[in-house]
Amino acid sequence: MYFYPMTEDLETPASLSEQFASIMHLEDKLRIREFLNNQNISDVAELVNEYDDYASQIIGNMSTHRAASVFKILDIPIQRKVIQELPPLKSAELLNELPADDRTSFLEELPNEVVKELIKTLDPEERKITLSLLGYPEGSVGRLMTPDYIAVNSDWTMAEVLEHIREVGRDSETIDVIYVVNDKGEFVDDMRIRDVIMTSPDKYVNDIIDHRYIALNVNDNQEVANQIFRMNNRVALPVLDDNKLLLGIVTIDDVLWVANEEFSEDMQRIGGTEALDEPYLEMPIFKLFQKRIVWMVVLFIGEMLTASAMGYFEDEIAKAVVLALFVPLIISSGGNSGSQASTLIIQAMAVGEITISDWWRVLRREIISGLLLGTVLGIIGFFRVIVWSQFFPEVYGEHYIPLGAAVGVSLMGVVLWGTISGSMLPIFLKKAGADPAVSSAPFVATLVDVTGLLIYFSVAYLFLRGLLL
């Protein structure tokens, strides 16, 4: 690690990175601590990413509260490194200071034996909360929620509500929304802090709530939470159990992290590989090989069926070798149309634009799209054969018109089949409980390759029977 030379005035370096390097050169812990505590949280996080070898020193030299704020926005590999390198007492302070939802998100990425050891370092109350959150199914809203919220009773006055906010608001995840419960802890409604401030102090909570609320179930999938937040423009939502008991809240920042992770995983699956558990450059080569080889083998076996299909039509190819010239054109067009359709549908399902119940509407649209796309490509393919035959008549022979018609009609059929397959496969997988992103572009292309050959040679046999075949 190169450090810039120390100067007389520490404010002369042009960038924050240079200032930090100069101060680190001094090895003065008090000045380092003061410098770090005076920076924005996001700026310190950038320093950690840049000087990752000093990540634990940076976090360790900050106040516990600010260190936790930086830690929770770092990437998982750096978080692991920090916890491993910090002294046990400091790491325990850091974990106890983290919000419950962020702590749970970090722990669920670690091996079980490591989680058991770290949980032992938590305070009794924090340990109880963490074990409760980890007890919910992976990928559920229960793993995202935090118990740090403000709840008030429905028969309180606004004055009592404001006094309660002053008492507990500092430890709450957010005070933008206040949650109303009854004496049994059952959720009644929520209200904005603006309504509390603008209402007369002697008014009761029951006087201003309208019982129209949006809530999440603790067992809901995190993708459901993402869609609900996006559709309703909320900063936080209550989390209830099946008996309407208020268990916690989920805030928009946690949902944004989930959405980012889901997007990354979907992009990797669409590319024909398993989702990566770590950043690409952090993942060991052999583990990366394991993530990719399964789909490579599956796709390779699928392409072997293409060779089998070619073998089935060996006699037709022997009689009319010219048919083999158009095989790459036919199967690539079908694969491209299928890949387009699957990518569009997967993305639309991910953002909640379509659901399983929309399958018939999707099918109708894709049939029309497939016919239009196939017709355009079919016309281009037909005229390509016709025009080429005028300049090179020996290539396609005297029957170039029926050959061009066979190519054109085959393109229409293959493109139509590709759009139908690519659009319906993600919906079918979603219905079966699988991840729609598994129907990746390479997978759909391989499927359409095999069926495209069957369509092509079947159409060619109809047009060229008695001529070339």
Side-chain angles (χ1 to χ4, degrees):
M1 180 69 66
Y2 173 79
F3 288 116
Y4 291 84
M6 185 179 67
T7 60
E8 292 295 323
D9 183 0
L10 290 177
E11 294 188 0
T12 54
S15 69
L16 183 67
S17 175
E18 292 173 342
Q19 294 179 50
F20 173 72
S22 297
I23 291 179
M24 286 293 290
H25 183 79
L26 297 174
E27 297 184 357
D28 185 336
K29 290 186 177 183
L30 289 178
R31 295 192 68 176
I32 293 172
R33 182 183 179 89
E34 182 182 2
F35 173 79
L36 293 173
N37 284 332
N38 285 330
Q39 307 305 319
N40 292 327
I41 296 300
S42 57
D43 292 335
V44 178
E46 289 183 9
L47 285 176
V48 172
N49 291 326
E50 182 176 354
Y51 297 96
D52 55 348
D53 289 341
Y54 292 86
S56 60
Q57 290 179 247
I58 295 174
I59 297 296
N61 278 295
M62 300 180 70
S63 64
T64 304
H65 177 71
R66 289 180 57 80
S69 298
V70 173
F71 182 85
K72 69 180 185 179
I73 62 175
L74 298 176
D75 293 332
I76 291 295
I78 298 181
Q79 288 181 336
R80 291 177 179 172
K81 181 177 181 180
V82 168
I83 292 297
Q84 288 174 353
E85 295 181 356
L86 281 177
L89 182 59
K90 187 66 178 180
S91 66
E93 290 179 355
L94 181 61
L95 289 175
N96 278 290
E97 184 68 23
L98 281 174
D101 52 340
D102 294 305
R103 181 170 58 238
T104 303
S105 297
F106 169 63
L107 292 177
E108 67 182 0
E109 298 291 337
L110 303 177
N112 289 336
E113 58 274 13
V114 177
V115 172
K116 292 178 183 177
E117 292 301 318
L118 291 178
I119 285 179
K120 293 178 183 178
T121 67
L122 299 177
D123 297 336
E125 184 62 27
E126 297 297 335
R127 185 184 309 142
K128 179 181 176 181
I129 294 172
T130 302
L131 289 173
S132 174
L133 296 181
L134 288 173
Y136 293 107
E138 187 174 353
S140 68
V141 168
R143 290 285 187 101
L144 284 181
M145 70 179 182
T146 174
D148 300 325
Y149 57 90
I150 298 177
V152 300
N153 201 284
S154 55
D155 59 5
W156 286 9
T157 64
M158 291 299 107
E160 291 176 305
V161 171
L162 287 171
E163 182 61 29
H164 184 66
I165 292 173
R166 294 188 188 98
E167 291 177 1
V168 303
R170 191 175 299 276
D171 297 324
S172 177
E173 184 84 2
T174 176
I175 63 170
D176 293 338
V177 184
I178 312 300
Y179 300 92
V180 182
V181 297
N182 59 22
D183 293 333
K184 298 179 181 179
E186 296 171 339
F187 183 73
V188 176
D189 203 352
D190 55 21
M191 53 186 181
R192 304 293 179 91
I193 186 65
R194 178 180 58 191
D195 298 329
V196 176
I197 296 173
M198 301 300 293
T199 303
S200 174
D202 58 351
K203 285 278 188 178
Y204 288 90
V205 172
N206 275 325
D207 294 334
I208 68 169
I209 59 176
D210 57 13
H211 298 277
R212 292 184 299 177
Y213 60 84
I214 301 166
L216 300 169
N217 185 278
V218 70
N219 294 311
D220 282 342
N221 189 279
Q222 293 174 2
E223 292 184 11
V224 173
N226 183 27
Q227 294 173 7
I228 293 176
F229 267 94
R230 184 169 52 250
M231 296 297 293
N232 294 280
N233 192 29
R234 303 296 293 270
V235 297
L237 285 174
V239 180
L240 315 180
D241 67 4
D242 295 333
N243 297 316
K244 287 190 63 178
L245 289 176
L246 180 60
L247 302 178
I249 65 171
V250 171
T251 53
I252 185 64
D253 59 326
D254 296 316
V255 173
L256 289 175
W257 279 105
V258 170
N260 182 59
E261 291 178 358
E262 291 289 337
F263 177 77
S264 298
E265 291 178 2
D266 286 347
M267 288 302 100
Q268 290 160 3
R269 290 194 177 103
I270 288 174
T273 182
E274 292 184 36
L276 304 184
D277 304 323
E278 305 173 45
Y280 174 80
L281 293 177
E282 301 285 341
M283 179 165 284
I285 292 295
F286 184 73
K287 194 172 181 181
L288 187 62
F289 160 78
Q290 290 178 311
K291 292 287 185 181
R292 299 171 67 175
I293 189 59
V294 175
W295 272 111
M296 288 293 291
V297 170
V298 170
L299 295 174
F300 180 74
I301 293 174
E303 290 293 353
M304 288 173 63
L305 297 176
T306 304
S308 300
M310 291 282 288
Y312 182 79
F313 293 102
E314 184 179 359
D315 293 339
E316 285 76 8
I317 295 175
K319 293 176 184 177
V321 179
V322 69
L323 292 176
L325 299 177
F326 296 97
V327 168
L329 175 69
I330 298 294
I331 62 176
S332 64
S333 298
N336 290 340
S337 66
S339 299
Q340 277 187 345
S342 66
T343 302
L344 288 173
I345 298 304
I346 292 170
Q347 191 272 340
M349 294 180 73
V351 299
E353 294 177 354
I354 61 174
T355 61
I356 296 175
S357 61
D358 296 318
W359 72 271
W360 175 240
R361 294 176 60 193
V362 173
L363 180 59
R364 283 185 302 176
R365 293 173 65 87
E366 289 303 316
I367 288 175
I368 296 173
S369 297
L371 287 172
L372 292 174
L373 293 169
T375 299
V376 172
L377 295 184
I379 292 173
I380 295 174
F382 173 76
F383 280 105
R384 193 272 188 194
V385 175
I386 301 301
V387 172
W388 201 259
S389 296
Q390 306 307 309
F391 296 97
F392 305 99
E394 71 281 358
V395 176
Y396 300 134
E398 58 181 322
H399 303 296
Y400 62 88
I401 293 180
L403 176 63
V407 171
V409 174
S410 296
L411 282 168
M412 290 179 61
V414 170
V415 170
L416 175 60
W417 170 244
T419 57
I420 293 174
S421 302
S423 61
M424 290 295 102
L425 188 57
I427 295 178
F428 172 78
L429 290 173
K430 183 73 172 180
K431 177 69 175 178
D435 188 346
V438 173
S439 57
S440 60
F443 182 79
V444 172
T446 302
L447 173 65
V448 177
D449 283 354
V450 179
T451 52
L453 286 176
L454 298 177
I455 294 173
Y456 173 47
F457 284 110
S458 298
V459 171
Y461 183 77
L462 291 176
F463 277 86
L464 300 173
R465 183 174 54 182
L467 299 176
L468 295 177
L469 301 177

